[in-house]
Structure formats: structure tokens, C-alpha cells
Amino acid sequence: IHLSDIAAPRCFEVQRLIQERLDIPVFHEDQQGTAAAVLAALTNGLGIVGTPLSEASVVVAGLGPGGQAVVRLLVAAGAGTVIACDTKGAVHAGRGDLGDEGLTWIAGNTNAAGLSGPVTEVLAGAHAFVGLSAPGLLSADAVRAMAPDPVVLALAMPDPELLPEEAAGVARVYATGRPDVPNQINSGLASPGIWRGAL
């Protein structure tokens, strides 16, 4: 079953209920499709700069359906360090406002060092940034504070967290969700391959 265009938080409940009732895979394009495309892009981008995923520190900004699925897949794929951020900053076990089941899972499975603060603070020294959040979140200076040769996947739509002209000469690998910029990352890119594999 391929689900698409179901808004949060309803999408989590719809997928959970279908999975409980059926013994076949249930794929939500906005969650698992986004996560698959991001994992592929991140693996390729880190490969270009010579950093294995298992040794990479990755900061994910934006924890809607796509962001939460990305975090879960990065953890399952063995990413070295994953730090997830929402509008209140880094998610960690010590935060007292984790009323959501998804955030509770993220707090228990990421950010072992318990880093806190806004995304621009926890981004310092990171190898990669995955943005599924809001336009203009990053500055070129924030990217300069990352590890050498950073990978920046600025996927907020229609305007990314960091504009292409701001990323030039700062990010070693840069991608957006926009079709008019090279290196487009979009959930729709994953669907044909996933369906071909399933069939």
C-alpha cells in the first residue's frame, strides 16, 4: 500500500492502523519515500567527501513526518551520530516537553551526548545537515562552522534553509528539493525504485 499526501499528525495514525490490520508493507511517500531519498543522497554525498556514514555526525532540522522518518532510517542505517532538532532546538532525553511518541523515540535513540540548543549551535563540527524545516534557517557562517567539506541537504520547500548562492564555496555537496537546482532530493525519486524492487 502506497500512501501519499496525508497531513500530520493524521498520517502517523492512518499508517499505524493499516499496518496493524494487514500483513503487507505500508509505504507512506512523505515519510518513507523522503527518508529513502535522503539516505541515498547522504550516502552519496558523504562518499564524495570520504566520510563513511558510520562515522558521520548528521544534524536533522524539522521533525514533521518526513523528518521523523529520516531520523529513524539514519539510526537504522547506522549513522555515527544523529542530532534531531525541532523548533525548540535539539531533542534530547533531558528535555521536559517530549509529549509526542515520535519525539520520545528520537530522544531515546539519538543525541547520546545530550546536546541542547538551537540547530545553528549543535551544527558546529557536524559532517552533514539535513533540513526539512523552514526557509533561511542556515547562514553561510553556520555552514563554515561545520566539519571540513560539509554536506548540506537543504530541502525546505519552496525555499531552502540555505540558498544555492549562499552555499556556493561553503558546502562541498549541496542539494535542495527544487527541480530548478542541480541535485534535487524528493520523495518521488525513491518511489519508482522501491516499487520496482517490491514487484
PDB file of all heavy atoms in Angstrom, residues 4-5 12 21 44 49 69 71-73 75 100 102-103 111 137 142-143 146 156 158 172 188:
ATOM      1  N   SER A   4      -0.058   8.659   0.267  1.00  0.00           N
ATOM      2  CA  SER A   4       0.546   9.931  -0.114  1.00  0.00           C
ATOM      3  C   SER A   4      -0.367  11.075   0.284  1.00  0.00           C
ATOM      4  O   SER A   4      -1.593  10.918   0.355  1.00  0.00           O
ATOM      5  CB  SER A   4       0.787   9.952  -1.631  1.00  0.00           C
ATOM      6  OG  SER A   4       1.499  11.115  -1.991  1.00  0.00           O
ATOM      7  N   ASP A   5       0.250  12.229   0.566  1.00  0.00           N
ATOM      8  CA  ASP A   5      -0.489  13.473   0.830  1.00  0.00           C
ATOM      9  C   ASP A   5      -1.495  13.355   1.970  1.00  0.00           C
ATOM     10  O   ASP A   5      -2.636  13.790   1.851  1.00  0.00           O
ATOM     11  CB  ASP A   5      -1.185  13.959  -0.447  1.00  0.00           C
ATOM     12  CG  ASP A   5      -0.190  14.314  -1.532  1.00  0.00           C
ATOM     13  OD1 ASP A   5       0.916  14.757  -1.186  1.00  0.00           O
ATOM     14  OD2 ASP A   5      -0.517  14.143  -2.717  1.00  0.00           O
ATOM     15  N   PHE A  12       0.454   9.571  10.744  1.00  0.00           N
ATOM     16  CA  PHE A  12       1.044   8.560  11.630  1.00  0.00           C
ATOM     17  C   PHE A  12      -0.012   7.542  12.051  1.00  0.00           C
ATOM     18  O   PHE A  12       0.220   6.339  12.050  1.00  0.00           O
ATOM     19  CB  PHE A  12       1.645   9.222  12.872  1.00  0.00           C
ATOM     20  CG  PHE A  12       2.749  10.199  12.580  1.00  0.00           C
ATOM     21  CD1 PHE A  12       2.571  11.551  12.804  1.00  0.00           C
ATOM     22  CD2 PHE A  12       3.966   9.774  12.055  1.00  0.00           C
ATOM     23  CE1 PHE A  12       3.585  12.460  12.539  1.00  0.00           C
ATOM     24  CE2 PHE A  12       4.984  10.665  11.783  1.00  0.00           C
ATOM     25  CZ  PHE A  12       4.792  12.020  12.021  1.00  0.00           C
ATOM     26  N   ARG A  21      -3.602  -3.928  10.785  1.00  0.00           N
ATOM     27  CA  ARG A  21      -4.670  -4.750  10.226  1.00  0.00           C
ATOM     28  C   ARG A  21      -4.231  -5.617   9.045  1.00  0.00           C
ATOM     29  O   ARG A  21      -4.937  -6.550   8.668  1.00  0.00           O
ATOM     30  CB  ARG A  21      -5.839  -3.858   9.800  1.00  0.00           C
ATOM     31  CG  ARG A  21      -6.593  -3.282  10.999  1.00  0.00           C
ATOM     32  CD  ARG A  21      -7.477  -2.112  10.576  1.00  0.00           C
ATOM     33  NE  ARG A  21      -8.369  -1.672  11.636  1.00  0.00           N
ATOM     34  CZ  ARG A  21      -7.984  -0.946  12.690  1.00  0.00           C
ATOM     35  NH1 ARG A  21      -6.713  -0.619  12.850  1.00  0.00           N
ATOM     36  NH2 ARG A  21      -8.859  -0.572  13.591  1.00  0.00           N
ATOM     37  N   ASN A  44      25.664   9.103  -0.796  1.00  0.00           N
ATOM     38  CA  ASN A  44      26.456   9.547  -1.949  1.00  0.00           C
ATOM     39  C   ASN A  44      27.275  10.788  -1.619  1.00  0.00           C
ATOM     40  O   ASN A  44      28.450  10.875  -1.973  1.00  0.00           O
ATOM     41  CB  ASN A  44      25.548   9.822  -3.150  1.00  0.00           C
ATOM     42  CG  ASN A  44      24.994   8.548  -3.758  1.00  0.00           C
ATOM     43  OD1 ASN A  44      25.555   7.479  -3.585  1.00  0.00           O
ATOM     44  ND2 ASN A  44      23.887   8.669  -4.461  1.00  0.00           N
ATOM     45  N   VAL A  49      32.926  13.129  -0.147  1.00  0.00           N
ATOM     46  CA  VAL A  49      33.887  13.795   0.744  1.00  0.00           C
ATOM     47  C   VAL A  49      34.734  12.807   1.540  1.00  0.00           C
ATOM     48  O   VAL A  49      35.615  13.206   2.304  1.00  0.00           O
ATOM     49  CB  VAL A  49      33.175  14.789   1.697  1.00  0.00           C
ATOM     50  CG1 VAL A  49      32.423  15.830   0.899  1.00  0.00           C
ATOM     51  CG2 VAL A  49      32.248  14.085   2.672  1.00  0.00           C
ATOM     52  N   ALA A  69      10.862  10.307   9.920  1.00  0.00           N
ATOM     53  CA  ALA A  69      11.216   9.096   9.170  1.00  0.00           C
ATOM     54  C   ALA A  69      12.693   9.098   8.796  1.00  0.00           C
ATOM     55  O   ALA A  69      13.357   8.063   8.840  1.00  0.00           O
ATOM     56  CB  ALA A  69      10.344   8.979   7.924  1.00  0.00           C
ATOM     57  N   VAL A  71      15.135  10.513  10.495  1.00  0.00           N
ATOM     58  CA  VAL A  71      15.894  10.205  11.716  1.00  0.00           C
ATOM     59  C   VAL A  71      15.859   8.704  11.989  1.00  0.00           C
ATOM     60  O   VAL A  71      16.895   8.083  12.260  1.00  0.00           O
ATOM     61  CB  VAL A  71      15.343  11.000  12.917  1.00  0.00           C
ATOM     62  CG1 VAL A  71      15.948  10.501  14.227  1.00  0.00           C
ATOM     63  CG2 VAL A  71      15.619  12.492  12.731  1.00  0.00           C
ATOM     64  N   ARG A  72      14.692   8.087  11.900  1.00  0.00           N
ATOM     65  CA  ARG A  72      14.575   6.650  12.156  1.00  0.00           C
ATOM     66  C   ARG A  72      15.421   5.833  11.169  1.00  0.00           C
ATOM     67  O   ARG A  72      16.085   4.876  11.556  1.00  0.00           O
ATOM     68  CB  ARG A  72      13.112   6.206  12.097  1.00  0.00           C
ATOM     69  CG  ARG A  72      12.296   6.645  13.303  1.00  0.00           C
ATOM     70  CD  ARG A  72      10.839   6.207  13.164  1.00  0.00           C
ATOM     71  NE  ARG A  72      10.052   6.610  14.302  1.00  0.00           N
ATOM     72  CZ  ARG A  72       9.841   5.857  15.385  1.00  0.00           C
ATOM     73  NH1 ARG A  72      10.379   4.646  15.458  1.00  0.00           N
ATOM     74  NH2 ARG A  72       9.113   6.291  16.390  1.00  0.00           N
ATOM     75  N   LEU A  73      15.405   6.224   9.890  1.00  0.00           N
ATOM     76  CA  LEU A  73      16.165   5.471   8.899  1.00  0.00           C
ATOM     77  C   LEU A  73      17.662   5.678   9.078  1.00  0.00           C
ATOM     78  O   LEU A  73      18.447   4.733   8.926  1.00  0.00           O
ATOM     79  CB  LEU A  73      15.730   5.846   7.485  1.00  0.00           C
ATOM     80  CG  LEU A  73      16.325   4.989   6.361  1.00  0.00           C
ATOM     81  CD1 LEU A  73      16.029   3.493   6.570  1.00  0.00           C
ATOM     82  CD2 LEU A  73      15.798   5.445   5.006  1.00  0.00           C
ATOM     83  N   VAL A  75      19.202   6.191  11.884  1.00  0.00           N
ATOM     84  CA  VAL A  75      19.573   5.358  13.033  1.00  0.00           C
ATOM     85  C   VAL A  75      19.661   3.892  12.597  1.00  0.00           C
ATOM     86  O   VAL A  75      20.632   3.194  12.898  1.00  0.00           O
ATOM     87  CB  VAL A  75      18.575   5.541  14.196  1.00  0.00           C
ATOM     88  CG1 VAL A  75      18.797   4.500  15.291  1.00  0.00           C
ATOM     89  CG2 VAL A  75      18.686   6.957  14.778  1.00  0.00           C
ATOM     90  N   ASP A 100       5.133  13.878  22.679  1.00  0.00           N
ATOM     91  CA  ASP A 100       4.847  13.149  21.449  1.00  0.00           C
ATOM     92  C   ASP A 100       5.626  11.835  21.422  1.00  0.00           C
ATOM     93  O   ASP A 100       6.806  11.793  21.746  1.00  0.00           O
ATOM     94  CB  ASP A 100       5.253  14.086  20.303  1.00  0.00           C
ATOM     95  CG  ASP A 100       5.187  13.463  18.942  1.00  0.00           C
ATOM     96  OD1 ASP A 100       5.850  12.451  18.715  1.00  0.00           O
ATOM     97  OD2 ASP A 100       4.487  14.033  18.092  1.00  0.00           O
ATOM     98  N   GLY A 102       6.722  10.123  18.906  1.00  0.00           N
ATOM     99  CA  GLY A 102       7.833  10.185  17.965  1.00  0.00           C
ATOM    100  C   GLY A 102       9.038  10.898  18.548  1.00  0.00           C
ATOM    101  O   GLY A 102      10.175  10.443  18.414  1.00  0.00           O
ATOM    102  N   LEU A 103       8.812  12.019  19.232  1.00  0.00           N
ATOM    103  CA  LEU A 103       9.920  12.754  19.847  1.00  0.00           C
ATOM    104  C   LEU A 103      10.544  11.951  20.983  1.00  0.00           C
ATOM    105  O   LEU A 103      11.762  12.002  21.187  1.00  0.00           O
ATOM    106  CB  LEU A 103       9.443  14.112  20.368  1.00  0.00           C
ATOM    107  CG  LEU A 103       9.075  15.158  19.315  1.00  0.00           C
ATOM    108  CD1 LEU A 103       8.669  16.465  19.993  1.00  0.00           C
ATOM    109  CD2 LEU A 103      10.210  15.395  18.347  1.00  0.00           C
ATOM    110  N   ASN A 111      21.370  11.561  19.752  1.00  0.00           N
ATOM    111  CA  ASN A 111      21.961  12.592  20.610  1.00  0.00           C
ATOM    112  C   ASN A 111      22.400  12.046  21.968  1.00  0.00           C
ATOM    113  O   ASN A 111      22.013  12.565  23.018  1.00  0.00           O
ATOM    114  CB  ASN A 111      20.966  13.750  20.776  1.00  0.00           C
ATOM    115  CG  ASN A 111      21.597  15.007  21.354  1.00  0.00           C
ATOM    116  OD1 ASN A 111      22.818  15.088  21.564  1.00  0.00           O
ATOM    117  ND2 ASN A 111      20.762  15.993  21.632  1.00  0.00           N
ATOM    118  N   LEU A 137      16.903  29.118   7.427  1.00  0.00           N
ATOM    119  CA  LEU A 137      17.323  28.669   8.756  1.00  0.00           C
ATOM    120  C   LEU A 137      18.833  28.770   8.938  1.00  0.00           C
ATOM    121  O   LEU A 137      19.316  29.080  10.021  1.00  0.00           O
ATOM    122  CB  LEU A 137      16.860  27.226   8.994  1.00  0.00           C
ATOM    123  CG  LEU A 137      17.207  26.600  10.342  1.00  0.00           C
ATOM    124  CD1 LEU A 137      16.387  27.268  11.443  1.00  0.00           C
ATOM    125  CD2 LEU A 137      16.949  25.097  10.326  1.00  0.00           C
ATOM    126  N   ALA A 142      27.150  29.535   9.526  1.00  0.00           N
ATOM    127  CA  ALA A 142      26.810  28.299  10.241  1.00  0.00           C
ATOM    128  C   ALA A 142      27.402  27.095   9.532  1.00  0.00           C
ATOM    129  O   ALA A 142      27.886  26.154  10.167  1.00  0.00           O
ATOM    130  CB  ALA A 142      25.293  28.158  10.367  1.00  0.00           C
ATOM    131  N   VAL A 143      27.401  27.109   8.201  1.00  0.00           N
ATOM    132  CA  VAL A 143      27.973  26.001   7.428  1.00  0.00           C
ATOM    133  C   VAL A 143      29.495  25.997   7.562  1.00  0.00           C
ATOM    134  O   VAL A 143      30.115  24.944   7.644  1.00  0.00           O
ATOM    135  CB  VAL A 143      27.525  26.074   5.955  1.00  0.00           C
ATOM    136  CG1 VAL A 143      28.180  24.972   5.129  1.00  0.00           C
ATOM    137  CG2 VAL A 143      26.010  25.971   5.864  1.00  0.00           C
ATOM    138  N   MET A 146      30.798  23.971  10.390  1.00  0.00           N
ATOM    139  CA  MET A 146      30.682  22.517  10.309  1.00  0.00           C
ATOM    140  C   MET A 146      32.060  21.909  10.066  1.00  0.00           C
ATOM    141  O   MET A 146      33.049  22.615   9.932  1.00  0.00           O
ATOM    142  CB  MET A 146      29.704  22.121   9.195  1.00  0.00           C
ATOM    143  CG  MET A 146      28.262  22.547   9.432  1.00  0.00           C
ATOM    144  SD  MET A 146      27.166  22.235   8.015  1.00  0.00           S
ATOM    145  CE  MET A 146      27.127  20.425   8.004  1.00  0.00           C
ATOM    146  N   ALA A 156      13.806  22.328   2.540  1.00  0.00           N
ATOM    147  CA  ALA A 156      12.565  23.072   2.772  1.00  0.00           C
ATOM    148  C   ALA A 156      12.037  23.572   1.428  1.00  0.00           C
ATOM    149  O   ALA A 156      12.798  23.979   0.556  1.00  0.00           O
ATOM    150  CB  ALA A 156      12.812  24.243   3.719  1.00  0.00           C
ATOM    151  N   PRO A 158       8.961  26.022  -0.618  1.00  0.00           N
ATOM    152  CA  PRO A 158       9.665  26.114  -1.899  1.00  0.00           C
ATOM    153  C   PRO A 158      11.056  26.740  -1.778  1.00  0.00           C
ATOM    154  O   PRO A 158      11.837  26.706  -2.722  1.00  0.00           O
ATOM    155  CB  PRO A 158       8.749  27.015  -2.729  1.00  0.00           C
ATOM    156  CG  PRO A 158       8.112  27.915  -1.720  1.00  0.00           C
ATOM    157  CD  PRO A 158       7.948  27.069  -0.481  1.00  0.00           C
ATOM    158  N   ARG A 172      30.536  21.549   0.439  1.00  0.00           N
ATOM    159  CA  ARG A 172      31.182  20.719  -0.592  1.00  0.00           C
ATOM    160  C   ARG A 172      30.128  20.037  -1.459  1.00  0.00           C
ATOM    161  O   ARG A 172      30.264  19.940  -2.678  1.00  0.00           O
ATOM    162  CB  ARG A 172      32.074  19.682   0.088  1.00  0.00           C
ATOM    163  CG  ARG A 172      32.681  18.658  -0.845  1.00  0.00           C
ATOM    164  CD  ARG A 172      33.797  19.226  -1.712  1.00  0.00           C
ATOM    165  NE  ARG A 172      34.277  18.257  -2.683  1.00  0.00           N
ATOM    166  CZ  ARG A 172      35.140  17.299  -2.414  1.00  0.00           C
ATOM    167  NH1 ARG A 172      35.666  17.183  -1.208  1.00  0.00           N
ATOM    168  NH2 ARG A 172      35.510  16.459  -3.360  1.00  0.00           N
ATOM    169  N   GLY A 188       9.532  11.553  -4.406  1.00  0.00           N
ATOM    170  CA  GLY A 188       9.115  10.919  -5.653  1.00  0.00           C
ATOM    171  C   GLY A 188      10.247  10.207  -6.370  1.00  0.00           C
ATOM    172  O   GLY A 188      10.015   9.303  -7.165  1.00  0.00           O
TER     173      GLY A 188
END
